[in-house]
Amino acid sequence: MPSSPSRPSSPSSRSSSSSASARKRLLVSAAVAVAAVTLGIVSWQATAPERKAARTSSAAAAPKGSDVRAELAKLARREAGDKLAAGRPDAPVVLIEYSDFKCGYCGKFARDTEPELVKKFVEEGVLRIEWRNFPIFGADSETAAKAAWAAGQQDRFAQFHAAAYAAGAKEKGFGRERLLELAREAGVPDMGRFEKDMDGAAAAAALQKDQEEGYRIGVTSTPSFLVNGQPIAGAQPLDAFALAIAKAQEQAKATSEPQAAK
């Protein structure tokens, strides 16, 4: 929902408001500090050579405190109108993906794993996937992120996502003309609006929001994931995601049953 309009205030009320805001920021920072360390431990340079994968798998299996997972799980937005999400807002499991269109391993996940997760879990109502634009490879990555957001405003995010991550797509780069080509390939109906949205302040603000969230919790590489707050680093095999989703579903069920009994 849109925020309420701001109203003029007296100097004293503004001072009190500033102090309250400062305290709130400190509390939020403290709450996520441990979470940032946790995710930082399991994050790895997913675009680095495959030889790092074994080390990553062992790190990702390290014990995590339930309090940390609970804080990270709160990052799920569950917004019904989220144009960059797939699945029911009330699904028991939410997978958050921090990703970059220039990331080769992100493309591998998008082509090989994500479609299977959609078939097995999203379509069954078990899983919701929420995308976070997290460009780390420079200006073209950021422009591609804004273009994906703009495509989403016309309900073509999934199609743009598929086109941008198709085999060989990233080798063609993400210059402006290429992004327009991808938008047409994705079936974006109003190209004039697409360009306006891509260049607009709303796209920049949405990107900043995603980036700040990722950096705040310690994401340093792509792809990085949270499954109900449980970090998964890198383009892991389908079975790794399926196991994490099944475990999260069971935990969500166990949590909801006592509440239902009250």
Side-chain angles (χ1 to χ4, degrees):
M1 294 178 62
S3 58
S4 301
S6 58
R7 296 179 174 82
S9 58
S10 66
S12 59
S13 64
R14 285 198 299 268
S15 177
S16 299
S17 177
S18 297
S19 299
S21 296
R23 287 194 296 272
K24 184 177 180 180
R25 286 195 296 270
L26 285 173
L27 289 172
V28 170
S29 297
V32 301
V34 177
V37 172
T38 302
L39 189 54
I41 290 172
V42 302
S43 291
W44 59 296
Q45 191 59 41
T47 50
E50 288 278 8
R51 59 189 173 81
K52 292 188 178 181
R55 185 176 63 193
T56 302
S57 297
S58 61
K64 311 296 187 301
S66 59
D67 54 338
V68 172
R69 289 197 299 272
E71 286 301 321
L72 291 173
K74 292 176 184 177
L75 295 175
R77 296 171 186 170
R78 294 184 178 274
E79 297 170 355
D82 189 342
K83 302 288 189 178
L84 276 61
R88 290 167 33 189
D90 63 346
V93 184
V94 177
L95 181 151
I96 302 174
E97 175 184 357
Y98 300 88
S99 204
D100 183 321
F101 284 105
K102 289 186 71 175
C103 163
Y105 277 69
C106 299
K108 179 178 175 59
F109 172 80
R111 292 188 300 273
D112 299 345
T113 306
E114 191 166 22
E116 294 301 315
L117 294 180
V118 170
K119 291 178 184 177
K120 291 177 179 292
F121 301 106
V122 175
E123 292 179 359
E124 295 298 319
V126 172
L127 179 68
R128 176 176 174 84
I129 299 176
E130 296 187 354
W131 172 273
R132 303 288 191 267
N133 274 307
F134 197 72
I136 59 175
F137 292 112
D140 279 0
S141 287
E142 293 198 356
T143 306
K146 294 175 184 177
W149 182 89
Q153 302 317 292
Q154 299 187 54
D155 298 315
R156 290 294 186 275
F157 172 75
Q159 293 84 350
F160 185 95
H161 175 279
Y165 276 137
K170 83 180 185 73
E171 284 73 20
K172 297 179 181 179
F174 291 109
R176 190 175 188 86
E177 289 305 314
R178 174 60 177 154
L179 292 173
L180 294 176
E181 180 184 342
L182 288 170
R184 286 189 288 268
E185 185 179 337
V188 173
D190 187 338
M191 291 300 296
R193 178 188 171 189
F194 171 79
E195 290 193 75
K196 183 178 179 180
D197 286 343
M198 180 171 63
D199 297 333
L207 172 57
Q208 183 178 7
K209 180 181 179 180
D210 287 354
Q211 287 178 310
E212 287 180 350
E213 177 182 295
Y215 285 125
R216 181 164 53 89
I217 62 170
V219 176
T220 58
S221 63
T222 56
S224 288
F225 306 89
L226 295 172
V227 178
N228 277 16
Q230 175 65 50
I232 295 181
Q236 302 289 339
L238 175 62
D239 287 350
F241 285 95
L243 182 62
I245 292 166
K247 182 177 179 181
Q249 184 182 11
E250 286 300 314
Q251 290 173 338
K253 182 179 179 181
T255 301
S256 63
E257 283 178 347
Q259 295 176 344
K262 290 180 180 180

